[in-house]
């Protein structure tokens, strides 16, 4: 996954998903995480995604979207709903999800 | 650093900093990164910070702030300006910085 993501001029939306993994089912988790990125890329309004997880099990994934309605549609996607359910019951000890409107952006080397 | 950060009810602001490290000076970088977190915590309007970096050198740090003016003050802090300069010249191959207004948030287990 290219990182940082290439995104258009603001405004657009970011979903900031911060999580702490349980020790459960690393292979199943990894497969589902890859599948969700693949599926997200196919959704209308998807702009990009960035992800990092440290050795301590703490991770941050930020996905970028054209609009709040594209985020809502993705949240309600049938296969994504199944993944969300397994995330809550098995894979995540904690998470926090924040929806934010990107107002300004600048970078180096991209 | 506790992760996810405990933040108040939205709205508030997020600075999403995505970076790819150069191989240069890991010890110096680590010391400066810790110092910047320590210093950020002392700034007016600081709400919290979350950080993850994978083994591939890709990292995401999200800091949370009460207002855009608190973000601006932190960006212009003298010691932080020195760190930003070294980041551009030495430590980062690429980065992208995005300033976003958090509109909604929910979580699990926090």
């Amino acid at each position: 996954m290219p990182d940082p993501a290439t995104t258009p001029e603001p405004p657009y939306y970011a979903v900031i998903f911060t999580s702490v993994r349980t020790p459960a089912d690393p292979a199943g988790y990894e497969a589902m995480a890859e599948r969700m990125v693949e599926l997200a890329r196919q959704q209308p309004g998807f702009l990009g995604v960035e992800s990092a997880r440290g050795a301590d099990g703490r991770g941050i994934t930020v996905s970028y979207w054209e609009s709040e309605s594209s985020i809502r549609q993705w949240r309600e996607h049938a296969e994504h709903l199944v993944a969300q359910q397994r995330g809550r019951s098995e894979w995540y000890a904690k998470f926090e999800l924040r929806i934010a409107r990107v107002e300004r952006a600048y970078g180096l080397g991209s």
Side-chain angles (χ1 to χ4, degrees), chain A residues 1-6 41 49-50:
Chain A
M1 150 179 2
D3 221 354
T6 303
R41 289 190 192 286
V49 62
E50 297 165 338

Side-chain angles (χ1 to χ4, degrees), chain A residues 20-43:
Chain A
V20 182
R21 280 272 289 121
T22 64
D25 186 26
Y29 172 75
E30 200 54 51
M32 184 68 94
E34 280 178 27
R35 172 66 183 147
M36 286 304 111
V37 168
E38 182 191 322
L39 203 57
R41 289 190 192 286
Q42 300 165 21
Q43 303 310 305

Side-chain angles (χ1 to χ4, degrees), chain A residues 11-15 40 43-47 64-77 80 99-101:
Chain A
Y12 52 87
Y13 286 83
V15 178
Q43 303 310 305
F46 176 85
L47 297 176
Y64 299 100
W65 301 85
E66 273 177 17
S67 65
E68 293 198 89
S69 71
S70 58
I71 293 171
R72 200 174 313 118
Q73 281 175 54
W74 169 232
R75 193 187 59 205
E76 290 162 9
H77 185 288
H80 189 200
I99 295 171
R101 183 177 189 271

Side-chain angles (χ1 to χ4, degrees), chain A residues 18-22 53 56-59 91-95:
Chain A
T18 310
S19 63
V20 182
R21 280 272 289 121
T22 64
R53 186 171 301 278
D56 59 1
R58 291 169 175 170
W91 292 320
Y92 295 121
K94 292 183 181 182
F95 70 73

